[in-house]
Amino acid sequence: MRLSGTLLGAGLILAAAAGLLAFRPSTDDPEAEIVAQDLELGRTVYAVRCEICHGVDGDGNGPAAASQDPRPRDFRRGWFKIRTTASGQLPTDADLARVITFGMPGTTMPAWENVLTEEEILSVAEHLKTFSRRFERESPEPIPIMAGPGSSPEAIARGAQLFVGEQAECIKCHGEMGRGDGPSASDLTDDFGQPIVPADLSMPWLFRGGPSADDIYLRIKTGLTGSPMPSYALVLGDEELWDVAYYVDSLAPDAPPKQEAFLLAAKVDGSLPISGDDAAWAAVPESFFPLGGQVMREVRNFTPAVKGVWVQALHNGSELALRLRWHDRFQDPNDSFDVEMPAVLAENDERPYFVFGDSRKAVNLWHWEAADVLLEEQNAHGVGTRATQSQQDLVGQVEFANGEYTLVVRRALNTGDEEDLVIPSGQFVPIAFAAVEGRSEETTDSGAIGSWQLLFLDEPTPALSYIWVPIAIALTAGLEWLVVRRVRRSTSA
Ligand code: HEC
Ligand code: HEC
């Protein structure tokens, strides 16, 4: 009571001071003029850059807000996720500037570092503070933190214990493998009443507040106010917080795996694997392809649930096999996946539109659907035009465990079906992937999709040609020696 009374008093004083400033002729006080200019700048930046999502009144209801998940923040409560302050407290000015600068990965909140100047960022942060009276009353301070002692196998092992243990129960929400699929994951809502899911800890590049161990330590310690992600400041000691942070940090690299120039299908002898856990896959390199929302056509989806797919490929001269792995927190009958290739390869490398083809150029779809564990070949020439092919040539197998699907699909390179692409070797073949998470009411046309990638079926070099390699090296070396000798001679002459 006493505290809030004091705060209220301080608020009144501040408000009065603000009123005084406003009435003072600005020319008298250059500092007040700077403040007024900054506020004016902040208001302008907000109107031009932020209002469309966050709304004129900062209520998160801008004209573009409707289709977004998570929704743009309502600033009126003073609930902020990315802070250095204790749970529930306001962020510091530096916290606000940081989150505006770097944005919130995995959401539509952009990074403004290459768009706004530092002055504009500080000014717009100042303007945000006008949406909640709490900023007048409270003066947030960073909580005491401990410098990271450095990661080690021992720290990671202790962190792993804490992650599953009863004290922290991270596993309840984040799941055994950290993919955001724990037993409590399916019915979480945020403090605004919107459904929310636990972060997939194997994709730290999508963390709202950054992927580093330092970021993770702060998020666990302070919690993400407004979301179900609690603060552990009163549950775990600083050493323990670091152990858990190092464990989470050890689950995945900070950035998505570097994208290869193309997806190589190595050639093997004999039959191709059909099951996802066949030992044959162990030696095959895996490529990661990010998937995103398709926003050019209805139905737009800015942040679809599936964020990417890991792909391996093998062929044996007559068949192609793909092993596809993607994360999906909730197994659902409406989950589905598509592998997409052009129905024919154009001479000029012109490709169909990557969102399931276009009126002039059709695509082949290798379609998998959880409902009846159905695997079928389809053709499409644009959204909403899928048709099941009359001749079916696909075989495959799917597994689901710990928030991850593993699908193996196999098809003959030349099926003899005129609707099918004859998949050539020694040539680049456009290939794309699309995934639907049924639980978030995505449909086959509004799920996650990636742009065209290139598949390349390797043709092993005939054994004889290897003989030429040492010969070529010897010849080059010989030539070089001759040249060097010539040069030496001419310089010594
Ligand atoms: C395209 C929509 C969009 C635009 C434009 C946008 N934001 Fe956001 N912003 C979001 C969304 C969505 C969130 C909520 C993300 C979440 O809760 O995980 C958010 C959250 C925030 C937060 C909360 C950070 C935290 O720690 O919780 C701040 C601050 C913010 N935005 C500032 C701005 C500023 C300043 C601008 C303009 C310079 C801006 N935003 C423009 C979509 C947008
Ligand atoms: C009650 C459920 C719940 C528990 C328990 C929980 N989390 Fe979370 N966690 C969430 C949710 C929900 C999010 C996503 C918040 C968002 O998207 O804004 C999240 C997000 C995160 C993030 C990402 C932060 C960022 O910057 O986006 C990390 C890291 C994390 N949690 C780690 C942990 C660890 C470690 C524990 C145990 C010490 C834990 N969580 C316990 C629900 C939980």
Side-chain angles (χ1 to χ4, degrees), residues 253-267:
D254 284 358
K258 209 175 117 269
Q259 227 177 308
E260 305 296 331
F262 55 88
L263 170 64
L264 180 71
K267 188 169 182 199

Side-chain angles (χ1 to χ4, degrees), residues 274-334:
I274 190 75
S275 107
D277 52 18
D278 193 299
W281 294 113
V284 182
E286 201 171 45
S287 305
F288 177 77
F289 301 112
L291 301 182
Q294 180 288 115
V295 296
M296 300 305 287
R297 298 184 179 179
E298 293 293 347
V299 176
R300 293 175 229 285
N301 184 354
F302 292 94
T303 46
V306 179
K307 307 298 185 189
V309 56
W310 287 266
V311 188
Q312 292 166 285
L314 281 176
H315 81 107
N316 60 6
S318 59
E319 266 191 312
L320 169 69
L322 300 175
R323 181 177 184 268
L324 308 144
R325 181 163 89 72
W326 70 99
H327 291 180
D328 181 335
R329 293 176 180 80
F330 314 107
Q331 197 176 16
D332 185 279
N334 290 324

Side-chain angles (χ1 to χ4, degrees), residues 160-239:
Q161 286 301 314
L162 288 162
F163 190 83
V164 299
E166 274 180 18
Q167 205 180 350
E169 289 192 319
C170 314
I171 194 174
K172 254 195 165 169
C173 293
H174 291 284
E176 218 171 298
M177 309 290 285
R179 293 180 189 140
D181 62 323
S184 304
S186 60
D187 44 31
L188 297 176
T189 48
D190 68 15
D191 294 354
F192 299 97
Q194 298 292 321
I196 188 170
V197 290
D200 180 343
L201 302 180
S202 58
M203 296 188 173
W205 55 88
L206 297 177
F207 287 177
R208 310 292 181 250
S212 73
D214 289 4
D215 295 322
I216 300 168
Y217 161 83
L218 265 174
R219 295 298 89 72
I220 307 172
K221 180 153 188 173
T222 68
L224 274 69
T225 298
S227 92
M229 171 66 200
S231 153
Y232 284 89
L234 303 175
V235 181
L236 301 175
D238 268 312
E239 274 92 1

Side-chain angles (χ1 to χ4, degrees), residues 355-401:
V355 189
F356 310 122
D358 53 65
S359 55
R360 289 185 303 122
K361 293 182 286 317
V363 293
N364 281 169
L365 297 171
W366 298 4
H367 180 73
W368 167 80
E369 220 171 273
D372 313 308
V373 194
L374 174 81
L375 203 55
E376 76 171 18
E377 283 184 281
Q378 304 175 336
N379 268 15
H381 50 267
V383 163
T385 64
R386 284 163 190 266
T388 304
Q389 291 187 9
S390 45
Q391 182 182 321
Q392 291 293 322
D393 306 286
L394 271 187
V395 288
Q397 238 180 52
V398 72
E399 296 282 332
F400 181 87

